[in-house]
Amino acid sequence: MKGVLLAGIFLLVAVFQVGAQSRLSGVGDGTGTLSGLLTTADGKPAGGVTVTLKGVNKTTLTDDDGRFSFRRLAPGNYDVEISYVGYEPIDQTVSVESGKPVRLSLQLKVSEQQLDQVTVTNGYNKFNKKETDDIARLPLKNMENPQVYSVVTKEIMKEQLITDYNSVFRSIPGAGVPIVYNQGRSALYSRGFVTENLVRNSVSGFVYTNIDPANLERLEAIKGPSGTLFNSSMISFGGLFNRVTKHPFDSWRGEIGYSGGSNDLNRLTVDINQPLNNDKTALMRVNGALHTEQSFQDAGFTRSYMIAPSFVYKANDKLSFLLDVEATSFNATSPVRFAPSTTGKIHDVRNLGIGYKRSFGNNTLDYTTRQVNIFGQINYQLSSQWKLQTLYTRTFSTTRGYVNQLIGKTDSTLSQQSQKEDFPYYGTNIQQNIVGDFFVGRLRNRLVAGVDIYNQKSEWTNTTVNMPAINFRHPGAGYNNFNSTKVDSAAARSAWVNYRTNQSTFGAYFSDVLNLTEKLNVMVSLRADRFDNKGTYYPGADSTAGSYTQNALSPKLGAVYQLVKDKVSLFGNYMNGFANVNGTDFNGGTFRPQQANQWEGGVKFDVLRHKVSATFSYYDIRVKNVARDDLAHPGYSIQDGTQLSRGFEGEVIANPFAGFNIVAGYTYNDSKYTQANKSVQGLRPATAGPASLANLWMSYRIVGGKAKGLGFGFGGNYGSASFQTNTASFAFTIPSYTVLDATVFYDQPSYRIGVKVDNLTNAQYWSYRLAPQNPTRVTANITFRF
């Protein structure tokens, strides 16, 4: 799979080079050329719009810069037609002469934001949408940014018929198989570190529950220890995942969709956008979803609903307000979690003989999670160079019910465990930024500076019940004893635990991008944090334990040199992240935060008029201040441990010809403990995931003729073997996997029909927690737009 992806990348480049030469070869052959620029009413490029020369059956599409061209045209008059659903068509006659290029400048009566909301049957590079202000918190293009990141667009999500949040990550290089925790929340991999989903719209989105993708505009995977601009509690040393939600725009639009499929899937989604007044200064958008689905195993289900209203109010040309709300409820059973016996002789999940479709659970052992996410934003344009941005988030999430796991006792027996809990979380984040784009002399500066206040509280009430061991190969009647009646009876006789936590972070930061020349820019950033953990309060004993404070500085440096302006960039960065460490050493001293320092270098491409976008980089992350056992003082720790994580990442997004789109990625990660306890010294952490990961998605959509809008997609994911446990005394292996998917769809301006088959070969593969993943699954969708 790796070789196929790399060979495909080089083949694509060769094809583009040959194609570019052939397109230019028509000069001087008695023909003419016609080219043009299409913009929106607000002066922005209109990408992906169909341009037709009537009567000669020639059609093309504008690229991301709004440009289009026709070559080798015989001299004569041509009718140029530009049509876009819901807007006034453009029809203009032009005269083409031999050897004299004709250039047009045309404008659609539609804003950029409206244009982005309409799904059309076109063939431009629709997966290449990397221009976002979220990554650097500045108006910085990908080719100017020294950081590596990936963006999963809504176009990919629609084409892949995404019905659950974790499936979005298939198109992110290095993400791997999702790790789903007991409350339904999830994490994935980034550069050898487990990375949770805790960031929403670039600030705290801390919820310990499932996430529904119905209001997801795009998903941004920001790579590397990004502690400078993001709260350390929200990220890992490998990076972060930022989910960007849908916001209102200034025209009426609606969409309703239904998906049905394997495992009794029934999913209804709605997306309604509506201006609230005639001058379109008050806007509202509402997204919602109803979802029910059974597990492919003998027990297990998910039943959920979500409502997500969003409001925008434009007080004047300088001041605007945004209020964004998510409210969800999930009723589900715990995902399978299996910890094998570390004293057995079996070291591979395939050799256990445990039934792939056995859940070892019961539908009465379910839980209910609820969340309310409130996001507010105020933007005030101080001048043409400066603006103020105020961000506010308030999150609440809670889990109530049973969360379960399976604990291996021997190579053939396991014990079922259930934790009955009531577990609410509360989070508050306030952030104030000032953003500037100004010149000092002839040097351009783009600056963001801000302060960040974050608080998180939780309350936990729970008890744990362990059932008698059963033979998991031949469980017999004991298989059905794991149910709510049995667990409730045992829980009534068990000890309950109740405690509360309260912790805060106070941060200040700045980041400045300085253009030394037109092609060379440097980035200098720094963050200072004060972490205050109030400790864990136990109401029964009226006591608090584990309180501490820590301070941390997190710098970031970067440089970009554009070998070819806006097309080829060399970049390098130094980035830092940190994680707070609780506890004390033998002498009573508190620990310092763990620090991760990354050096990275690479190259970015955006060539052939945005038809090929690619990033290749090598990184080296070294973690210090890791706490490990103090052998001289049993029961205590010392803080001198180190860890190394380094590797290669590559991503290619290509549009070889109209209608054909490709996104491909490959990552290799070498991770190990360089100074640690003897049990793991020199070994790869089990939490680092597979060393090699690859992803590929190819799609073709017919862009002209009677079959216009018909499309096909094919792709898959590969992961090398990894570990559930990896110590000197015991290692347990998760095998490599290759999963292939395919889709067929018919996309029209007013409706879309699609069918997707996931896991075509019915491959068996597992997550880090040894949860079996879905076998072959079929999903059908119909969506109406109005």
Side-chain angles (χ1 to χ4, degrees), residues 255-452:
E255 184 175 292
I256 185 169
Y258 169 76
S259 296
S262 303
N263 308 323
D264 296 316
L265 169 68
N266 287 282
R267 178 175 173 83
L268 183 68
T269 59
V270 62
D271 182 356
I272 304 295
N273 188 86
Q274 173 67 60
L276 299 178
N277 56 6
N278 291 332
D279 57 5
K280 299 182 179 180
T281 58
L283 313 172
M284 180 181 71
R285 188 173 186 176
V286 179
N287 283 269
L290 293 173
H291 187 112
T292 66
E293 186 175 6
Q294 299 295 112
S295 170
F296 71 90
Q297 295 183 312
D298 53 17
F301 66 87
T302 298
R303 301 161 189 159
S304 67
Y305 64 84
M306 185 267 273
I307 185 75
S310 183
F311 305 89
V312 166
Y313 176 65
K314 301 175 185 178
N316 51 52
D317 291 340
K318 294 184 176 181
L319 180 63
S320 65
F321 301 86
L322 167 67
L323 178 63
D324 190 68
V325 181
E326 285 180 332
T328 65
S329 177
F330 284 83
N331 177 216
T333 51
S334 287
V336 171
R337 176 188 178 187
F338 178 60
S341 169
T342 58
T343 60
K345 295 181 180 180
I346 295 178
H347 298 265
D348 190 313
V349 65
R350 293 169 295 185
N351 299 328
L352 278 175
I354 190 169
Y356 196 79
K357 292 188 177 182
R358 284 191 182 274
S359 67
F360 292 90
N362 186 285
N363 282 350
T364 64
L365 294 172
D366 60 337
Y367 66 86
T368 298
T369 67
R370 293 186 173 88
Q371 66 156 304
V372 177
N373 251 350
I374 299 173
F375 172 81
Q377 180 174 317
I378 303 173
N379 291 309
Y380 184 71
Q381 195 73 37
L382 293 170
S383 67
S384 61
Q385 297 178 324
W386 294 95
K387 72 175 181 180
L388 289 174
Q389 183 183 70
T390 304
L391 302 170
Y392 171 82
T393 64
R394 179 74 170 170
T395 63
F396 165 77
S397 60
T398 183
T399 303
R400 189 169 189 176
Y402 309 88
V403 295
N404 311 318
Q405 65 173 316
L406 309 174
I407 301 173
K409 296 297 184 180
T410 69
D411 283 344
S412 60
T413 62
L414 62 78
S415 173
Q416 299 147 310
Q417 183 186 87
S418 183
Q419 184 170 277
K420 191 174 182 180
E421 69 179 28
D422 187 348
F423 198 1
Y425 269 96
Y426 308 86
T428 303
N429 196 180
I430 302 173
Q431 191 176 107
Q432 179 64 59
N433 295 321
I434 183 168
V435 181
D437 188 347
F438 59 95
F439 283 81
V440 176
R442 295 184 177 181
L443 301 180
R444 183 187 183 188
N445 288 260
R446 279 166 285 183
L447 172 72
V448 58
V451 294
D452 184 270

Side-chain angles (χ1 to χ4, degrees), residues 752-766:
R752 186 185 194 281
I753 301 172
V755 177
K756 175 105 179 292
V757 181
D758 293 304
N759 197 355
L760 283 165
T761 62
N762 205 29
Q764 292 189 354
Y765 63 113
W766 293 260

Side-chain angles (χ1 to χ4, degrees), residues 202-256:
S202 299
V203 291
S204 167
F206 187 96
V207 287
Y208 258 36
T209 63
N210 309 61
I211 296 173
D212 194 289
N215 69 330
L216 188 63
E217 179 72 16
R218 64 182 180 273
L219 183 69
E220 300 169 344
I222 305 174
K223 303 300 183 73
S226 306
T228 303
L229 294 179
F230 295 90
N231 187 310
S232 64
S233 301
M234 304 289 103
I235 67 174
S236 79
F237 292 151
L240 66 128
F241 301 120
N242 179 35
R243 53 191 179 98
V244 181
T245 58
K246 298 175 182 177
H247 291 154
F249 51 96
D250 57 2
S251 64
W252 158 255
R253 287 288 182 275
E255 184 175 292
I256 185 169

Side-chain angles (χ1 to χ4, degrees), residues 567-625:
K567 297 182 185 298
V568 183
S569 294
L570 297 178
F571 69 91
N573 66 60
Y574 164 78
M575 298 171 59
N576 175 274
F578 59 91
N580 299 105
V581 181
N582 58 17
T584 61
D585 59 20
F586 177 74
N587 297 314
T590 58
F591 293 130
R592 302 178 300 279
Q594 286 187 40
Q595 294 279 348
N597 298 288
Q598 171 183 282
W599 293 96
E600 182 177 19
V603 60
K604 295 183 179 182
F605 299 92
D606 193 347
V607 295
L608 300 175
R609 300 177 69 179
H610 307 295
K611 287 184 176 293
V612 177
S613 173
T615 302
F616 303 99
S617 71
Y618 174 83
Y619 63 87
D620 183 295
I621 303 173
R622 296 175 186 265
V623 184
K624 63 180 183 179
N625 296 341

Side-chain angles (χ1 to χ4, degrees), residues 550-561:
Q550 287 178 347
N551 300 317
L553 287 175
S554 182
K556 176 181 177 180
L557 305 170
V560 175
Y561 180 72

Side-chain angles (χ1 to χ4, degrees), residues 441-687:
R442 295 184 177 181
L443 301 180
R444 183 187 183 188
N445 288 260
R446 279 166 285 183
L447 172 72
V448 58
V451 294
D452 184 270
I453 301 172
Y454 174 70
N455 176 262
Q456 177 193 305
K457 298 178 181 178
S458 69
E459 301 175 22
W460 198 1
T461 303
N462 75 87
T463 189
T464 301
V465 172
N466 291 291
M467 303 298 290
I470 61 173
N471 186 309
F472 57 70
R473 296 174 184 171
H474 307 286
Y479 187 80
N480 299 315
N481 287 334
F482 193 44
N483 55 59
S484 61
T485 301
K486 297 282 188 181
V487 171
D488 287 346
S489 177
R493 303 187 300 271
S494 302
W496 286 74
V497 176
N498 176 239
Y499 63 79
R500 301 174 186 172
T501 65
N502 185 356
Q503 60 187 42
S504 300
T505 303
F506 307 91
Y509 50 88
F510 81 91
S511 181
D512 185 31
V513 177
L514 177 65
N515 283 86
L516 298 177
T517 70
E518 185 183 17
K519 294 184 176 181
L520 175 64
N521 65 269
V522 296
M523 174 186 286
V524 180
S525 312
L526 181 67
R527 181 186 181 106
D529 266 304
R530 170 75 170 179
F531 180 76
D532 183 8
N533 188 332
K534 301 295 185 184
T536 302
Y537 173 67
Y538 298 91
D542 192 23
S543 64
T544 300
S547 62
Y548 66 97
T549 59
Q550 287 178 347
N551 300 317
L553 287 175
S554 182
K556 176 181 177 180
L557 305 170
V560 175
Y561 180 72
Q562 299 188 49
L563 292 174
V564 181
K565 188 74 168 69
D566 297 326
K567 297 182 185 298
V568 183
S569 294
L570 297 178
F571 69 91
N573 66 60
Y574 164 78
M575 298 171 59
N576 175 274
F578 59 91
N580 299 105
V581 181
N582 58 17
T584 61
D585 59 20
F586 177 74
N587 297 314
T590 58
F591 293 130
R592 302 178 300 279
Q594 286 187 40
Q595 294 279 348
N597 298 288
Q598 171 183 282
W599 293 96
E600 182 177 19
V603 60
K604 295 183 179 182
F605 299 92
D606 193 347
V607 295
L608 300 175
R609 300 177 69 179
H610 307 295
K611 287 184 176 293
V612 177
S613 173
T615 302
F616 303 99
S617 71
Y618 174 83
Y619 63 87
D620 183 295
I621 303 173
R622 296 175 186 265
V623 184
K624 63 180 183 179
N625 296 341
V626 178
R628 63 188 183 97
D629 293 342
D630 184 348
L631 299 180
H633 305 96
Y636 291 91
S637 297
I638 55 176
Q639 196 180 31
D640 65 351
T642 57
Q643 181 181 344
L644 172 65
S645 182
R646 57 190 174 188
F648 167 83
E649 287 192 349
E651 181 182 51
V652 176
I653 306 171
N655 174 217
F657 50 85
F660 186 42
N661 291 271
I662 300 172
V663 57
Y666 172 74
T667 65
Y668 175 76
N669 173 261
D670 176 24
S671 187
K672 62 183 177 181
Y673 293 109
T674 48
Q675 183 168 317
N677 296 328
K678 291 183 178 179
S679 62
V680 295
Q681 175 71 37
L683 299 179
R684 180 178 180 83
T687 53

